Amino acid sequence: MSLTTRTLHPEFGVEIVDLDVARVDDATFQEVVAAFEEHSVLLFRGQSLTDDQQIAFSRRFGPLETTIRSIASRAGTPIHIANLSNVDAEDRLIPAGDKRNLYNAGNQMWHTDSSFKRVPAHASLLSAREIPPVGGDTQFASMRVGYARLPADLQRFLDGKVAIHSFVYSRGLVDDALMPPDHAAQVPPVRQALVRANPVNGRKAFYVGSHACEIVGMPTAEARALLRELREAATRQLVYTHRWRVGDLVMWDNRCMLHRGRPWDESRYRRVMHRTTVAGAGPTAPDEGPASVNPMRQEDVAWGRAQLELVHRASVDRAGEGAGHVEDPAR
Ligand code: SIN
């Protein structure tokens, strides 16, 4: 079989048309893997998956991560499923303002999954089980395309550098009560390469999601300004906004893609998304002992809060437009 694809964004992302991910033969699966390496984001529509089917398809890409213990953990969720929903274990809407929703709202900052783990995630597969009528989109931006568009001297400056990523830091940008000490102890800061090359095609990407908060050998303020500048370079013009339909399964490459969820009216509408996360092949930077992170500053918090608050209006304003949305005014 040869895959039929539709472009999602001129620079990355394709929909794979008419493929039932629960029934993919080995040859077709190899084509899916090749499409993933090339396009970084894959959309499969019309997949009404059980958790077991989602886990089985995801496992074909490699071993799966288990979720960390958090204030949003839900009893009864399989360990390989991250239940990103505003519904509790009794299937009731979680009240607006509840810390569990605030914790999940951390995913509304541009990030790459599990870059706070020593072995960061390879891929994530997000399945839309229930969606709100307005808002709750997910946006994607390519750090690979962002890197390719940087001036050559900046590319050279970044190559070989190491950044420090911390989940306690990034959730602290939302609210510093989201990570009690026993949860924080699960996720000490880790080192990650600042530039990563795809092992199949060699294309490089910077690696700078919201968990990145220091660059080894650089003063903190300078490092954080550079990290913000790089995120901005990837997300200013090169965004694909996915408007979910129930049954969509979207898979992305955490090695080179930033993503973020968009807000919706949590007090009225259910949004139930199940994510499986494929573990990476190994550490991206040498282990040189414990890594430390300086306290967050006003400009760091402002960067996080701006994403949590401002884009809400944009998301609501865009309600009723088409099924996907591409922003690249440079084209
Ligand atoms: C995620 O950050 O993995 C999920 C994003 C979303 O909920 O749209």
Side-chain angles (χ1 to χ4, degrees):
M1 170 174 184
S2 220
L3 297 178
T4 306
T5 59
R6 279 193 206 118
T7 301
L8 296 177
H9 184 285
E11 301 277 5
F12 59 85
V14 290
E15 176 182 351
I16 297 191
V17 184
D18 289 337
L19 189 73
D20 176 353
V21 302
R23 295 162 198 277
V24 179
D25 62 44
D26 286 344
T28 307
F29 182 72
Q30 287 316 314
E31 292 183 44
V32 172
V33 172
F36 175 76
E37 297 293 355
E38 179 61 26
H39 299 291
S40 312
V41 178
L42 304 180
L43 163 65
F44 308 90
R45 296 236 194 240
Q47 315 290 325
S48 49
L49 296 174
T50 62
D51 284 344
D52 284 348
Q53 286 172 320
Q54 183 173 343
I55 288 169
F57 179 62
S58 305
R59 270 214 178 106
R60 295 180 74 175
F61 295 90
L64 301 187
E65 288 190 357
T66 52
T67 51
I68 63 166
R69 203 157 30 86
S70 78
I71 58 169
S73 297
R74 239 181 73 156
T77 302
I79 55 164
H80 293 116
I81 295 280
N83 190 329
L84 304 174
S85 75
N86 62 332
V87 175
D88 69 15
E90 279 75 47
D91 210 33
R92 294 171 309 210
L93 208 59
I94 296 174
D98 188 287
K99 289 267 189 240
R100 288 169 288 181
N101 286 345
L102 205 53
Y103 177 90
N104 282 334
N107 288 337
Q108 293 173 12
M109 293 185 287
W110 286 113
H111 67 286
T112 170
D113 289 329
S114 301
S115 72
F116 54 83
K117 294 184 179 171
R118 174 115 179 84
V119 176
H122 174 71
S124 295
L125 296 94
L126 189 61
S127 155
R129 308 292 173 91
E130 294 182 58
I131 55 165
V134 175
D137 303 333
T138 304
Q139 294 186 312
F140 297 92
S142 173
M143 296 182 281
R144 180 191 282 179
V145 177
Y147 179 88
R149 290 187 178 191
L150 293 179
D153 56 345
L154 182 52
Q155 290 179 341
R156 276 194 299 275
F157 177 79
L158 300 176
D159 284 355
K161 291 218 165 12
V162 169
I164 294 175
H165 293 229
S166 162
F167 193 61
V168 175
Y169 168 85
S170 59
R171 278 303 185 272
L173 297 176
V174 181
D175 183 319
D176 50 20
L178 296 179
M179 294 294 290
D182 57 325
H183 293 175
Q186 303 171 101
V187 282
V190 296
R191 290 180 171 77
Q192 303 290 2
L194 187 55
V195 174
R196 302 181 66 182
N198 178 296
V200 175
N201 56 37
R203 292 173 70 190
K204 288 182 175 176
F206 47 74
Y207 189 59
V208 294
S210 61
H211 312 305
C213 50
E214 303 280 355
I215 297 175
V216 174
M218 203 181 271
T220 300
E222 214 177 292
R224 290 185 188 162
L226 176 57
L227 293 166
R228 279 195 291 274
E229 186 186 317
L230 294 172
R231 279 179 218 127
E232 176 70 13
T235 60
R236 195 171 31 228
Q237 299 172 329
L238 297 164
V239 174
Y240 167 68
T241 300
H242 186 66
R243 309 243 156 78
W244 291 97
R245 293 182 202 161
V246 171
D248 284 355
L249 178 72
V250 175
M251 169 173 191
W252 63 87
D253 186 340
N254 283 301
R255 299 167 300 178
C256 65
M257 294 303 298
L258 290 167
H259 66 283
R260 63 178 183 178
R262 298 291 69 212
W264 75 101
D265 187 347
E266 293 169 349
S267 62
R268 290 174 67 191
Y269 300 120
R270 294 163 63 101
R271 182 178 188 265
V272 179
M273 312 292 284
H274 286 196
R275 196 186 78 206
T276 34
T277 313
V278 182
T284 69
D287 186 7
E288 281 156 356
S292 65
V293 173
N294 282 315
M296 63 188 109
R297 298 152 183 242
Q298 218 177 352
E299 55 272 33
D300 308 325
V301 176
W303 175 83
R305 299 279 163 90
Q307 296 181 74
L308 299 178
E309 288 156 20
L310 293 182
V311 192
H312 182 45
R313 273 203 305 278
S315 187
V316 170
D317 290 348
R318 280 202 307 269
E321 289 179 17
H325 185 72
V326 169
E327 287 155 33
D328 187 356
R331 295 182 61 86

